[in-house]
Amino acid sequence: MIGLSVLGATGSIGRQCLDVCRWQPELRPLSMSAGQDWRALADLARIWKPEMVAIAEEAAAVPLKEALSGLPIRVEAGPEALKLAAAWPGVDTVLAAISGMAGLPPLLAAIDAKKNIALANKEALVAGGSLVMERAARAGVSIAPVDSEHSALWQCLAGERPEQVAKLILTASGGAFRDIPLEELETVRAEQALQHPNWRMGEKITIDCATMVNKGLEVIEAHWLFGVDYEDIQVLVHRESIIHSLVAFRDGSVKAQLAQADMRLPIQYALLGRERPPTEIAPPDLATLCCLHFEAPDMLRFPGLAAMIEAGRRGGTAPAYLNGANETLNLAFRRGRLGFPALGRALCRLLEEYREEPADVEKRIYEADRQGREDAARLLGADLSLFPR
């Protein structure tokens, strides 16, 4: 049996993780967490009967306990409860799928408790890459990527020596607006951006795909996961989303990983430590694909991608700062308070103006995130309380 802690169990990745648990009975969820949706968490707990559940929203503790009364399930609430779920005794692997900076403290708690990590939280490495990787190395735990692109890179790199790698190539769908004329982007709305052509995801990440900020976050994540310089990480728009990433080698050869656009495959690969038991997902039918397309991203269309990569190159707390700013700007666009092209332009402007303040490493990460949110709200001329964390 492999004991699991499913952090973010009620979200898209968490639910797909539980699908994998249905396929592979040796995977057993021992602890689960959610942010606010205590009803969904209670429903999952009744099905899976973990030893404990954690809800971040403290006010949800009472109804959650009532919903699970009579079951031998410990219920905890608040930020410390998420850490407890991450470090729960008997857990071997933690699926870290809490979105945003809220996922960083329980991730660090899991690492300190020497749990292996299946990482589905981009912001943890974007904002705290050096902190997370150094602490994981010190604890002797592995970090397996769950993002389809990073899983693909991980698969292509298996058995290869680092010095033979020339370039990592991350593929991107291009999001909902990849084909809309530039002059029409001024009038597009969030409802249109949420119609992702290939994937079904949450609202925030779907908007990040439309701006390609998401791909900038993935470039930073790849830098930390695989120890590759930014100059050796490339982004290509690949509209079919069949090739999830590629690795180019010094001898001129290229390896690619192909699969259906189904997150359950990389989740299973991470949870089972690169094992490949059968699933219900069919491989791509290459005879019917006809052709695959690749193109360089248009930075005029996707200025947020350029800004995020530049933040990664700058290092320090610039990625944490810009990620925090993007959280506010993304929500502003979804609420109709900001135009689509203005989102990317605002990220560029905020990065230009950002100056890092010296402080303790872990403290700096949270301070930079907070400052990014505040500066983005100021740029919008809005009260930060309109954009809660």
Side-chain angles (χ1 to χ4, degrees), residues 17 37 66 98 107 117 129 138 186 256 292 296 306 334 354 373 389:
C17 169
D37 193 347
E66 290 176 352
I98 299 173
L107 171 64
I117 308 298
R138 208 161 52 236
E186 296 289 347
L292 300 174
R334 280 181 275 155
Y354 178 59
R373 294 168 191 270
R389 296 185 66 167

Side-chain angles (χ1 to χ4, degrees), residues 83-100:
K83 295 181 183 180
L84 181 63
W88 191 251
V91 164
D92 302 294
T93 299
V94 174
L95 178 77
I98 299 173
S99 62

